[in-house]
Amino acid sequence: MNSTGPQNEGSLPLKAFRLTPPYKRLHSFSEIGQGAHLNVRTGTLVFLRVTSPTRDWTMIKHWVPRIRHLFPNTATILHVGSETGPAVRHLTGRATKLHVRAVLADGEPIYDTLRPILTEPVDLAGDVIEWLSVKGLQLPPRLRYLITQILCHATDEPNVSSLLRSIHEPETGTRRLFHLKGVPPPHCWFQVARALQAAIVIQSGSRRLLDISLSLGYHDHSALNQRISRTFRLKCGDIRNTLGWEWLMDRWVGLEMRR
């Protein structure tokens, strides 16, 4: 699996902030440029300050993709100040197409506002596929389709063999295609899909670990903890008080590249 690293983007005309667990206080980035990503901690979110949703749109459209390439292990959030109304709603709709994860206004409690947004993705499979391109992994259409199907249906089937049968795909041919394209085999995508879904539910903080484990087909919480450990080299407790799935996928890609 090949991916490209961050590129130097120079100074940023919009104010940028980082938010790290426990998500209480924004910290300013002194400069956005090469090497800045080295200071990004696990579970960090990147905020861009928007003075005017209408006037700043050109800069937002230009800089959000660059920020995402520079910080692929973070979720990008827009901070619109105290302005509300149609302009902010319009900005939210446009920003979603840039894969901005949320738009936050002044006065809103940061963690309590972001947690339900970031733990209830509308199209996680589609977001992950798009994110892989941000990481520099350009998938041909056939491979993109297969990985999307695995990401969508991993929690519905007991194993990848059953999943491939359910979508009428030959297991041997699918494994061969993944091998030829130099990406992790289907069972690895199946495992990360299940682990990622579990991690997002864990981040929501709404259910006990045992309940999450049983609902996802694990015998107990120890089995789920083993899956998280094997996939991300983390424990469930390391994930519970974080937000964003991007840092988990970035971690998984890095582990797969070293294997």
Side-chain angles (χ1 to χ4, degrees):
M1 180 185 290
N2 296 317
S3 64
T4 58
Q7 302 296 317
N8 190 0
E9 297 293 350
S11 299
L12 180 67
L14 295 169
K15 289 184 178 180
F17 302 87
R18 54 187 170 84
L19 182 67
T20 58
Y23 305 112
K24 298 295 185 183
R25 181 182 175 188
L26 294 172
H27 301 274
S28 178
F29 272 122
S30 59
E31 182 179 358
I32 299 294
Q34 190 169 9
H37 66 288
L38 298 177
N39 297 319
V40 172
R41 289 174 47 197
T42 293
T44 294
L45 309 176
V46 172
F47 281 68
L48 296 180
R49 177 76 173 188
V50 178
T51 303
S52 167
T54 303
R55 188 173 60 250
D56 290 347
W57 174 246
T58 299
M59 287 188 294
I60 294 168
K61 184 172 64 174
H62 177 81
W63 278 99
V64 164
R66 287 159 174 76
I67 291 294
R68 294 183 67 231
H69 278 277
L70 186 62
F71 301 103
N73 61 337
T74 71
T76 304
I77 315 293
L78 296 185
H79 190 209
V80 296
S82 58
E83 186 169 350
T84 60
V88 173
R89 291 194 293 271
H90 184 55
L91 172 66
T92 301
R94 300 170 88 184
T96 298
K97 297 178 181 178
L98 296 177
H99 298 275
V100 168
R101 302 303 180 204
V103 177
L104 192 72
D106 275 343
E108 292 185 285
I110 296 176
Y111 181 69
D112 289 341
T113 301
L114 290 178
R115 185 172 66 176
I117 297 173
L118 297 183
T119 58
E120 297 177 11
V122 175
D123 180 16
L124 180 61
D127 287 341
V128 170
I129 292 295
E130 188 276 338
W131 179 88
L132 290 170
S133 69
V134 173
K135 282 292 291 181
L137 184 61
Q138 302 301 325
L139 301 171
R142 176 66 176 160
L143 200 59
R144 186 165 60 246
Y145 165 77
L146 289 168
I147 293 176
T148 299
Q149 293 301 304
I150 293 172
L151 292 170
C152 284
H153 301 296
T155 56
D156 301 328
E157 301 291 340
N159 52 59
V160 72
S161 299
S162 175
L163 189 155
L164 291 174
R165 285 196 301 271
S166 73
I167 61 172
H168 310 292
E169 295 292 345
E171 184 173 1
T172 300
T174 300
R175 286 202 309 265
R176 184 182 301 116
L177 174 63
F178 280 56
H179 176 72
L180 289 174
K181 297 301 181 181
V183 300
H187 75 271
C188 288
W189 292 99
F190 180 84
Q191 290 167 358
V192 75
R194 288 178 63 84
L196 195 63
Q197 290 278 5
I200 290 172
V201 179
I202 292 169
Q203 288 177 333
S204 73
S206 60
R207 297 163 65 184
R208 296 186 308 158
L209 190 57
L210 178 59
D211 294 336
I212 296 171
S213 305
L214 296 176
S215 70
L216 294 176
Y218 296 95
H219 298 300
D220 54 30
H221 67 276
S222 296
L224 175 58
N225 210 42
Q226 283 186 342
R227 170 49 53 216
I228 295 292
S229 177
R230 290 172 182 171
T231 305
F232 301 123
R233 297 294 186 268
L234 295 168
K235 296 179 180 179
C236 292
D238 299 324
I239 294 171
R240 182 173 292 280
N241 295 317
T242 66
L243 290 174
W245 53 263
E246 291 86 351
W247 69 275
L248 289 164
M249 280 301 299
D250 190 70
R251 186 180 181 92
W252 179 75
V253 168
L255 291 169
E256 288 297 323
M257 288 176 64
R258 290 195 292 270
R259 284 173 183 163

